[in-house]
Amino acid sequence: MPFAIFILGLAVFAQGTSEFMLSGLVPDIAADLNVSIPSAGALTSAFAVGMIVGAPSAAILSLRWPRRTALLVFLIVFMLVHVVGAITTSFGILLAARVVGALANAGFLAVAIATATGMVAADAKGRAASVLLGGVTVACVVGVPAGALLGQMWGWRAAFWAVALVCVPAVVAILRSVPGTNLGRAQAGAQGERAATGPSARRELRALRDPRLIVTLLLAALVNGATFCAFTYLAPLVTEVGGFGDGWVPVMLMLFGLGSFTGVTVAGRMSDARPARLLLAGGPALLAGWLLFAVAAGNPVAMVVLVFVQGTLSFAVGSTLITRVLYAAAEAPSLGGAFATAALNVGAAAGPLLGGVAIGAGLGYRSPLWVGALLVALAFVTAGLARAVRPDRALTTAS
């Protein structure tokens, strides 16, 4: 695996820390900026909306840019908006900073996925993607709990400063390690007959109309929606339902992160060659886990176990679906990763909003777990309907 891919994983670590860290900071942000907890939870959804819009648009914008230039522009913008977030006293400005940061994050991740998968053999896309997603899971293991601890010791703003600081070595490493060639032209050259015409957004968009690909993107969105629905409100779930003290919130976040790292590691080894086996076992287990978590959340032992288990299953299933998107989008090497990123963040936007609606309706802090189970159940229904409509063509996830 090329060393530059691990450098990209470092930058994804910083961005993943930002995306996930609000799950441990929502109560403090709400209190400091005088908004409700569901309103503060909308910061996660705002970030996800920015990712949805930013992934395809930024990928198209940077299609003909040198890869190193694109990565640096997106990462530096991401770093600067975290400085703004750390100093503002306005919830509106913080919300806007999250959206802009997400746009930059989306652009970076779309280019990074295309760069990483273009550096490896055609049958190693899953392993390359797992390195980048591993940056997100390490963020869950280390960055998010550290952000929660910083928030408890020095206030939530310290976590924003920390993310900005972590971006600095990533910028230097990208300058030194990532080739400066044009990403789209390099990919076009690898495609033989398309080398003469170079990258084309229109051609890649046509390739993304495949019904199997669209279904797989929808499944990824639903599974990730369940993950974010529960994870965004993990802090109040731990303290108000599980009966743990505030000091246990970083521990639970770390457990979820360890589970997610385990899930991505397993998916990285299986998603290239045996995706159907993982999905057929992991999908039902994921649904059963959310249902059991919703019922047993008041039991401290069950909560500890299920936080880890659901982190593992969520990321194993989710990252496998993303790998299947990358394989199905072979004719769209630049935009395939962008649409995979957008699909994940459709779920990341909808999940917290649905969880917040459930909490705001007075259904309690267990309700996001029930919503998560419903979203995974909808994924099963979607896959079943797609197979019934097109029985002659197996879904990409099973190929």
Side-chain angles (χ1 to χ4, degrees):
M1 194 69 65
F3 179 70
I5 294 179
F6 293 95
I7 296 302
L8 297 178
L10 171 65
V12 173
F13 162 76
Q15 295 168 344
T17 297
S18 174
E19 184 170 9
F20 281 90
M21 70 183 181
L22 292 192
S23 58
L25 302 175
V26 162
D28 291 338
I29 292 174
D32 186 33
L33 299 182
N34 296 314
V35 297
S36 68
I37 284 181
S39 294
L43 291 169
T44 299
S45 296
F47 194 95
V49 169
M51 292 283 283
I52 295 166
V53 175
S57 59
I60 292 172
L61 173 67
S62 61
L63 194 62
R64 297 178 182 271
W65 290 6
R67 65 182 74 176
R68 185 168 59 201
T69 299
L71 292 169
L72 287 173
V73 167
F74 292 133
L75 186 56
I76 290 171
V77 170
F78 179 84
M79 178 175 63
L80 293 177
V81 298
H82 278 76
V83 174
V84 173
I87 63 178
T88 186
T89 58
S90 165
F91 180 75
I93 292 176
L94 179 60
L95 189 67
R98 293 295 287 172
V99 173
V100 175
L103 291 170
N105 187 0
F108 182 93
L109 189 56
V111 175
I113 290 175
T115 301
T117 56
M119 289 180 175
V120 298
D123 61 349
K125 294 179 187 290
R127 291 191 292 278
S130 72
V131 172
L132 297 186
L133 293 176
V136 177
T137 62
V138 173
C140 292
V141 176
V142 179
V144 175
L149 285 173
L150 286 173
Q152 290 177 2
M153 292 188 296
W154 294 307
W156 63 269
R157 299 175 191 278
F160 278 71
W161 282 114
V163 169
L165 289 173
V166 170
C167 290
V168 175
V171 168
V172 175
I174 289 171
L175 273 170
R176 297 174 63 89
S177 302
V178 175
T181 54
N182 178 283
L183 174 61
R185 185 172 295 120
Q187 289 171 329
Q191 297 298 321
E193 64 189 38
R194 288 184 289 179
T197 59
S200 166
R202 181 176 299 176
R203 182 176 59 232
E204 293 202 12
L205 286 170
R206 283 199 301 268
L208 293 171
R209 296 177 187 173
D210 186 340
R212 296 175 302 166
L213 176 59
I214 294 171
V215 170
T216 309
L217 289 168
L218 181 56
L219 297 180
L222 289 168
V223 168
N224 206 48
T227 304
F228 269 80
C229 182
F231 190 71
T232 299
Y233 301 102
L234 186 60
L237 180 70
V238 166
T239 57
E240 300 298 326
V241 179
F244 291 93
D246 290 341
W248 275 89
V249 172
V251 176
M252 293 298 189
L253 293 171
M254 184 175 293
L255 274 176
F256 187 91
L258 287 170
S260 65
F261 181 78
T262 302
V264 165
T265 301
V266 170
R269 297 187 178 190
M270 295 184 65
S271 59
D272 286 315
R274 299 186 299 276
R277 186 177 303 178
L278 190 152
L279 292 172
L280 291 174
L286 181 61
L287 174 58
W290 287 130
L291 292 171
L292 180 59
F293 201 171
V295 172
N299 184 306
V301 175
M303 175 171 282
V304 169
V305 172
L306 288 168
V307 163
F308 175 81
V309 169
Q310 290 306 98
T312 300
L313 292 171
S314 294
F315 275 77
V317 173
S319 61
T320 300
L321 289 169
I322 291 307
T323 298
R324 302 326 300 164
V325 169
L326 297 177
Y327 276 107
E331 298 300 311
S334 297
L335 298 186
F339 275 75
T341 300
L344 286 179
N345 286 280
V346 167
L353 285 176
L354 293 172
V357 168
I359 293 171
L363 299 179
Y365 290 117
R366 292 178 192 251
S367 57
L369 301 174
W370 290 110
V371 175
L374 176 61
L375 291 174
V376 175
L378 286 175
F380 274 97
V381 172
T382 300
L385 289 174
R387 194 173 186 87
V389 171
R390 301 294 297 273
D392 57 313
R393 298 177 71 186
L395 287 178
T396 300
T397 53
S399 61

